[in-house]
Amino acid sequence: MRLALHTICLVFLFSSCKTPEARKPINIKSGSFINESINRNKELAAKEEAIIQKIITKDTIHKYITSETGFWYFYTKKDTLSNVTPKFGDKVTFNYNITDLNGNIIYTQKELDTITYHIDKEELFLGLREGLKLMKQGEMVTFFFPSYQAYGYYGDDHKIGANIPLITKVTLNTITKESTTEN
């Protein structure tokens, strides 16, 4: 009887032992959230760019230029003699204001005061950072930035909300070239 009991236990032991099997997922959604986000952002960018294009089309006074990085601008005051634009590390001083696409003032030039900025070495929103590199000392330029070139999804935590395209009027006061002499 004991032998039979041991035999039955051994049979159960060997028949019940098998390697664990991996469970298969019920739903497979590889990258769907990212793809949906990309599509939403493309739609938002297209919508904002269409609004800006409509403004540009109605404006028969100014000659607009499209930047390589995705914003539009025109010169109020242009320097045709100089070819000096700020490069990486150069110190610039400038004044600007910010409005929405309807012309509503968000920040006045007085509120923002004169800004001293080292090109690409300090924080500044993408569009303005790229726009300054196109300017020469003394020039005045009006930039139209879609939200992805401005403060994007997060806004500025003060007056600029999420996904707000902006217009900025910028005056580049000075350019001080970074010292290239070695000690």
Side-chain angles (χ1 to χ4, degrees):
M1 178 96 173
R2 267 185 152 202
L3 186 60
L5 189 58
H6 285 324
T7 307
I8 293 173
C9 285
L10 283 174
V11 170
F12 267 126
L13 180 66
F14 286 115
S15 65
S16 64
C17 292
K18 63 180 186 177
T19 60
E21 291 181 25
R23 292 183 288 168
K24 306 285 188 242
I26 296 171
N27 293 330
I28 300 173
K29 292 185 177 182
S30 63
S32 63
F33 175 77
I34 292 171
N35 291 336
E36 289 170 11
S37 179
I38 289 169
N39 290 334
R40 274 193 311 272
N41 288 335
K42 283 181 179 180
E43 289 173 15
L44 177 64
K47 179 181 169 187
E48 291 175 1
E49 289 171 8
I51 293 168
I52 292 171
Q53 286 299 328
K54 192 173 183 179
I55 293 169
I56 290 171
T57 303
K58 287 182 179 180
D59 184 354
T60 58
I61 297 171
H62 301 104
K63 181 183 177 193
Y64 287 81
I65 301 166
T66 304
S67 78
E68 292 179 8
T69 56
F71 58 85
W72 296 263
Y73 62 101
F74 66 84
Y75 287 90
T76 305
K77 182 179 177 188
K78 183 171 175 68
D79 182 347
T80 57
L81 302 175
S82 176
N83 61 359
V84 178
T85 57
K87 305 287 185 235
F88 178 84
D90 292 347
K91 183 172 82 171
V92 296
T93 60
F94 64 97
N95 296 91
Y96 72 115
N97 70 1
I98 299 177
T99 63
D100 64 19
L101 294 182
N102 295 320
N104 300 313
I105 296 171
I106 299 172
Y107 290 108
T108 66
Q109 185 173 321
K110 187 176 181 180
E111 283 178 278
L112 297 172
D113 204 8
T114 299
I115 306 294
T116 300
Y117 170 70
H118 289 85
I119 299 292
D120 290 336
K121 287 188 169 185
E122 298 175 272
E123 288 294 316
L124 195 62
F125 71 86
L126 176 63
L128 186 53
R129 187 170 64 229
E130 295 302 315
L132 286 167
K133 294 177 197 175
L134 301 171
M135 297 179 71
K136 300 171 192 161
Q137 188 168 303
E139 288 185 331
M140 296 170 67
V141 177
T142 300
F143 295 100
F144 288 72
F145 299 117
S147 65
Y148 66 87
Q149 288 281 325
Y151 287 93
Y153 177 74
Y154 294 104
D156 76 341
D157 294 331
H158 298 287
K159 294 183 178 184
I160 300 172
N163 299 321
I164 304 294
L166 302 174
I167 301 171
T168 64
K169 295 179 182 180
V170 181
T171 302
L172 183 57
N173 302 318
T174 62
I175 301 172
T176 306
K177 293 306 224 177
E178 181 181 44
S179 176
T180 56
T181 59
E182 295 181 10
N183 294 336

